[in-house]
């Protein structure tokens, strides 16, 4: 066991660690059933955007947590229940004496509770960052188990690469053939209740996701994604009519394909190029400066 003096010397020698918490994009989300415990069974095609939150981890005499960014103020009042702190405490309990005090700074750039995995991505980035900072050597399976304790989306955010996720989100299959997409993320900054979206879901035993995983061309992938769906989008549109409006706005500005991500209210539009996405995001921001529009590019499966 490492003494407190040695822990202090070790933490003092550590430099800061930075982790990106990429936005999680549900390109498709099929609700295929429901377990007896109430959890819904899902088939999802998931990718991750270059844009997201950012976390910095620095050794500190005592634990500390600070916030900045466009949406940092939304979390400030409830930082005690923030998934970042839950992830820190869970990992500390798992690795023991190596877990010296740390100051964590979260730059919150993603809207809160918006269907793009912001909180889950932050928790996953915390697990990755503190594992590096603390020099922990947890097996991948053990780290994935910790991630699942934090939420069904956290294991896929821990991977942060194109995946098919099944079950409640814990059964992960890489999709190395998925290309990168130029994209605009759009959110009317109006909250959607995920439990209410699921409650309004008319059918919970829908056809499973079916995709050929060897499509070499972006156009083929776009066609396959267009043939898929987000089963949560119709009930979310009932709750938040702005979702329909923001999807129409993306189409009007040249999106090749639009869809809602997760349980909403963030929608995405896929564009032919980053230039087209950036031009659309700028125009959309001019139309509704009170809403959220962000041009980004998703990661490719082969990255």
């Amino acid at each position: 066991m490492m003494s407190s003096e040695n822990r202090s010397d070790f933490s003092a020698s550590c430099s800061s660690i930075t982790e990106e918490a990429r936005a999680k994009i549900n390109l498709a989300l099929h609700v295929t059933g429901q377990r007896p415990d109430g959890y819904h069974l899902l088939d999802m095609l998931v990718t991750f955007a270059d844009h997201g939150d950012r976390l910095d981890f620095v050794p500190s005499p005592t634990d500390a947590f600070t916030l900045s960014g466009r949406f940092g103020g939304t979390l400030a009042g409830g930082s005690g229940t923030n998934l970042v702190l839950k992830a820190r405490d869970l990992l500390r309990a798992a690795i023991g004496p190596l877990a010296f005090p740390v100051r964590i700074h979260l730059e919150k750039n993603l809207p809160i509770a918006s269907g793009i995995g912001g909180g889950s991505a932050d928790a996953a980035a915390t697990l990755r960052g503190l594992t590096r900072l603390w020099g922990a050597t947890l097996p991948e399976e053990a780290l994935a188990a910790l991630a699942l304790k934090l939420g069904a989306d956290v294991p896929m955010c821990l991977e942060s690469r194109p995946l098919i996720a099944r079950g409640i989100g814990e059964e992960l299959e890489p999709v190395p053939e998925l290309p990168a997409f130029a994209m605009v993320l759009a959110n009317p900054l109006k909250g959607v209740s995920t439990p209410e979206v699921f409650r309004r879901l008319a059918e919970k035993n829908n056809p499973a996701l079916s995709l050929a995983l060897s499509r070499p061309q972006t156009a083929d992938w776009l066609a396959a994604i267009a043939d898929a769906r987000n089963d949560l989008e119709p009930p979310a549109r009932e709750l938040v009519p702005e979702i329909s409006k923001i999807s129409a706005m993306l189409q009007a500005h040249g999106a090749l394909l639009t869809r809602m991500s997760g349980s909403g209210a963030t929608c995405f539009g896929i564009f032919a190029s980053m230039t087209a996405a950036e031009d659309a995001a700028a125009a959309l921001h001019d139309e509704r400066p009170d809403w959220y529009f962000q041009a980004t590019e998703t990661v490719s499966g082969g990255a």
Side-chain angles (χ1 to χ4, degrees):
M1 180 178 294
M2 186 180 291
S3 70
S4 59
E5 181 179 351
N6 288 337
R7 285 200 302 272
S8 298
D9 291 343
F10 178 76
S11 63
S13 69
C14 291
S15 60
S16 64
I17 295 290
T18 297
E19 282 284 343
E20 303 295 329
R22 299 178 184 272
K24 176 182 69 68
I25 314 299
N26 291 100
L27 296 172
L29 190 159
H30 294 202
V31 181
T32 60
Q34 188 171 18
R35 300 194 319 195
D37 62 5
Y39 279 98
H40 291 83
L41 299 175
L42 309 172
D43 278 8
M44 296 176 283
L45 177 63
V46 175
T47 191
F48 290 83
D50 282 341
H51 178 67
D53 297 338
R54 176 190 174 101
L55 290 97
D56 294 306
F57 307 90
V58 183
S60 175
T62 59
D63 282 331
F65 178 61
T66 56
L67 285 158
S68 67
R70 178 178 177 183
F71 300 102
T74 310
L75 282 181
S79 61
T81 57
N82 189 278
L83 275 177
V84 169
L85 303 186
K86 290 184 178 180
R88 177 201 65 193
D89 295 343
L90 196 63
L91 183 61
R92 172 174 281 147
I95 69 171
L98 283 177
F100 49 78
V102 61
R103 177 174 63 80
I104 303 174
H105 180 77
L106 169 60
E107 183 182 288
K108 191 66 184 169
N109 302 313
L110 299 176
I112 310 300
S114 57
I116 50 177
S120 296
D122 295 343
T126 300
L127 293 178
R128 292 194 305 267
L130 289 181
T131 297
R132 292 166 57 201
L133 187 72
W134 286 337
T137 55
L138 284 178
E140 287 186 16
E141 297 80 5
L143 198 59
L146 291 181
L148 187 58
K149 287 183 180 180
L150 292 162
D153 283 354
V154 182
M156 64 187 87
C157 291
L158 194 63
E159 297 281 341
S160 285
R161 57 177 172 158
L163 300 161
I164 288 177
R166 296 188 173 91
I168 63 171
E170 83 286 11
E171 300 172 19
L172 305 179
E173 176 187 344
V175 187
E177 302 86 0
L178 191 71
F181 297 109
M183 186 176 286
V184 173
L185 303 179
N187 189 295
L189 300 183
K190 188 170 183 179
V192 185
S193 167
T194 299
E196 182 63 16
V197 168
F198 276 103
R199 191 186 71 79
R200 288 174 174 249
L201 193 62
E203 179 57 59
K204 299 184 179 181
N205 293 283
N206 299 293
L209 178 68
S210 178
L211 290 171
L213 299 182
S214 58
R215 299 173 182 266
Q217 303 298 322
T218 297
D220 295 325
W221 274 104
L222 284 173
I225 294 166
D227 286 341
R229 60 189 190 274
N230 182 346
D231 288 329
L232 302 182
E233 188 163 348
R237 286 183 181 228
E238 292 176 7
L239 289 167
V240 181
E242 289 88 346
I243 293 171
S244 297
K245 181 175 182 180
I246 211 165
S247 181
M249 291 169 68
L250 287 165
Q251 292 173 3
H253 284 275
L256 305 175
L257 184 152
T258 64
R259 183 164 288 155
M260 188 185 81
S261 180
S263 58
T266 300
C267 296
F268 62 86
I270 296 178
F271 287 79
S273 67
M274 272 306 297
T275 298
E278 289 165 352
D279 289 346
L284 288 162
H285 177 74
D286 288 343
E287 289 179 29
R288 289 301 304 256
D290 54 326
W291 287 1
Y292 169 86
F293 299 101
Q294 177 66 48
T296 187
E297 186 174 35
T298 63
V299 300
S300 70

